[in-house]
């Protein structure tokens, strides 16, 4: 029983969607369930009371509530949620208007309209909700105060009608204030969460991914490789003689060199490639669906771009080079093994005179001689 209820409530949700959207989908599902239950029970009550028109209206509303529940899963997450919520609100408002016009059971129908403001605001947001409620209130006023009660099928006292309208406007105002505050609080929370996430994953100096962010991207590429069986490559880069730059010119100059080197590195990459500051003056490149030979070619171009460009800092030009170690990651290889191979290839490039590119394959050839 509990699993069936959970399945009903979770219909249309997905782990890839935002928490707010999943929450809205669940609330739509719960409201659909409540709407179906209430209108179905009231429909049977009207049926036994031989109120034919009210019975048809309530059973029709039950069907529409059921349809709104299925729409989210049939159409898709965001669009389905919007359409489903629109159907729910349209159904709710139409039902309320019918209850106002007919009086419902013993003229208590208008009392149900107070469910409209909170539901409308929640499902449509502040702006759309405000417009929808303004329109709904205008229709209610027209129905109530048309001369000679021409639009009513029942009789209400003037005092009852005015109090219903005043109370509805008050509840709508309070619902709007609450929704406005809720949206602002949620947007602020999302912004802060994004800022914290960025601080946790990005290096503030170079604005590239930090080691944690690079590790996450590596794991994502490894998972993708295990699905599509296409290898990818990585490269470790280390700025040559960076310690002497810090010692000779100071750490401020060293920081500026790091920023400009990162800019040169990133300028040659594709949108799907990754770059992270792996630590100190060391950088990690990630080349999705790229073999070692192609990764070497790209890395060689990056090396040439850096060595050919003088980096200006404090009105002085600094010639900076970097050494690179490249490794292709295959399904049978772990990330630790690949990083170790790339690191060994990098130090081989250093030993070969710096400002060079060495691959894991070349490293194996040299070691086998």
């Amino acid at each position: 029983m509990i699993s069936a209820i959970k399945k009903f409530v979770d219909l249309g949700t997905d782990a890839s969607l935002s928490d707010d959207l999943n929450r809205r989908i669940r609330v739509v599902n719960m409201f659909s369930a409540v709407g179906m239950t209430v209108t179905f029970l009231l429909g049977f009550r009207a049926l036994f009371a031989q109120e034919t028109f009210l019975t048809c209206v309530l059973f029709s509303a039950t069907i529409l509530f059921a349809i709104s529940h299925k729409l989210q899963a049939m159409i898709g997450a965001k669009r389905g949620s919007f359409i489903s919520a629109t159907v729910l609100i349209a159904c709710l408002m139409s039902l309320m208007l019918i209850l106002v016009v007919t009086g419902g059971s013993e003229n208590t129908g208008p009392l149900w309209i107070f469910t409209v403001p909170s539901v409308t605001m929640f499902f449509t947001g502040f702006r759309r909700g405000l417009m929808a409620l303004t329109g709904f209130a205008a229709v209610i006023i027209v129905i109530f105060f048309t001369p000679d009660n021409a639009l009513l099928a029942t009789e209400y006292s003037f005092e009852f009608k005015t109090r219903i309208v005043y109370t509805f406007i008050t509840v709508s105002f309070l619902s709007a204030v609450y929704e406005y505050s809720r949206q602002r609080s949620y947007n602020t929370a999302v912004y802060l969460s994004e800022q914290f996430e960025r601080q946790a994953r990005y290096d503030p100096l170079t604005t590239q991914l930090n080691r944690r962010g690079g590790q996450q991207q590596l794991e994502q590429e490894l998972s993708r490789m295990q699905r599509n069986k296409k290898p990818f490559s990585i490269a470790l880069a280390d700025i040559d003689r960076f310690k002497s730059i810090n010692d000779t010119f100071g750490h401020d100059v060293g920081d500026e060199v790091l920023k400009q080197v990162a800019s040169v590195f990133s300028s040659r990459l594709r949108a799907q490639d990754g770059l992270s500051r792996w630590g100190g003056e060391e950088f990690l490149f990630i080349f999705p669906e790229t073999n070692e030979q192609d990764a070497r070619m790209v890395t060689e171009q990056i090396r040439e771009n850096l060595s050919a460009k003088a980096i200006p800092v404090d009105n002085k030009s600094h010639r900076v080079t970097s050494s690179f170690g490249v490794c292709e990651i295959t399904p049978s290889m772990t990330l630790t093994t690949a990083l170790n191979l790339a690191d060994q290839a990098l130090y081989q490039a250093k030993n070969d005179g710096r400002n060079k590119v060495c691959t894991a394959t070349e490293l194996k050839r040299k070691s086998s001689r």
Side-chain angles (χ1 to χ4, degrees), residues 228-244:
N228 60 25
K229 305 304 179 184
K230 294 181 180 179
F232 70 100
S233 296
I234 61 171
L236 282 174
D238 187 84
I239 300 175
D240 297 328
R241 298 185 175 89
F242 183 74
K243 185 177 183 301
S244 66

Side-chain angles (χ1 to χ4, degrees), residues 78-293:
K78 192 169 183 179
R79 185 163 172 262
S81 177
F82 174 76
I83 294 175
S84 181
T86 302
V87 171
L88 274 177
I89 293 168
C91 178
L92 179 64
M93 287 185 171
S94 299
L95 181 59
M96 295 304 104
L97 291 176
I98 291 172
L99 291 175
V100 168
V101 171
T102 62
S105 178
E106 298 182 4
N107 272 12
T108 60
L111 299 177
W112 287 93
I113 68 172
F114 298 116
T115 62
V116 173
S118 57
V119 173
T120 302
M121 279 293 173
F122 180 85
F123 287 143
T124 63
F126 175 72
R127 292 184 181 179
R128 290 177 179 172
L130 196 59
M131 289 188 291
L133 289 176
T134 300
F136 183 77
V139 173
I140 292 292
I141 292 171
V142 169
I143 291 174
F144 272 160
F145 299 106
T146 296
D148 301 323
N149 291 330
L151 300 179
L152 288 171
T154 186
E155 292 288 334
Y156 303 112
S157 68
F158 180 80
E159 290 75 14
F160 177 81
K161 291 187 289 187
T162 54
R163 281 164 176 73
I164 285 288
V165 171
Y166 293 154
T167 308
F168 180 82
I169 292 173
T170 301
V171 173
S172 296
F173 173 76
L174 294 174
S175 297
V177 170
Y178 170 79
E179 181 60 23
Y180 178 76
S181 301
R182 190 197 68 81
Q183 283 188 1
R184 288 199 63 180
S185 299
Y186 176 77
N187 292 337
T188 300
V190 169
Y191 172 77
L192 292 175
S193 177
E194 289 174 349
Q195 291 300 108
F196 289 144
E197 178 66 18
R198 180 170 183 82
Q199 290 175 8
R201 297 183 66 241
Y202 284 83
D203 173 50
L205 178 64
T206 63
T207 70
Q208 303 299 323
L209 291 170
N210 58 20
R211 190 182 185 98
R212 177 185 176 186
Q215 186 68 37
Q216 289 177 349
Q217 188 170 0
L218 273 176
E219 292 169 357
Q220 290 170 2
E221 288 303 324
L222 183 65
S223 298
R224 177 156 49 181
M225 180 189 65
Q226 291 169 346
R227 292 194 305 270
N228 60 25
K229 305 304 179 184
K230 294 181 180 179
F232 70 100
S233 296
I234 61 171
L236 282 174
D238 187 84
I239 300 175
D240 297 328
R241 298 185 175 89
F242 183 74
K243 185 177 183 301
S244 66
I245 295 176
N246 276 333
D247 292 343
T248 304
F249 302 103
H251 288 279
D252 289 342
V253 171
D255 287 348
E256 186 61 30
V257 168
L258 280 171
K259 288 165 63 176
Q260 296 201 40
V261 167
S263 178
V264 173
F265 283 170
S266 62
S267 64
R268 177 57 184 82
L269 299 180
R270 302 168 299 179
Q272 65 268 33
D273 295 335
L275 174 65
S276 70
R277 186 182 176 190
W278 200 240
E281 66 273 23
E282 195 171 55
F283 292 83
L284 172 72
F285 295 83
I286 302 174
F287 304 107
E289 298 185 10
T290 305
N291 59 35
E292 187 181 80
Q293 183 179 357

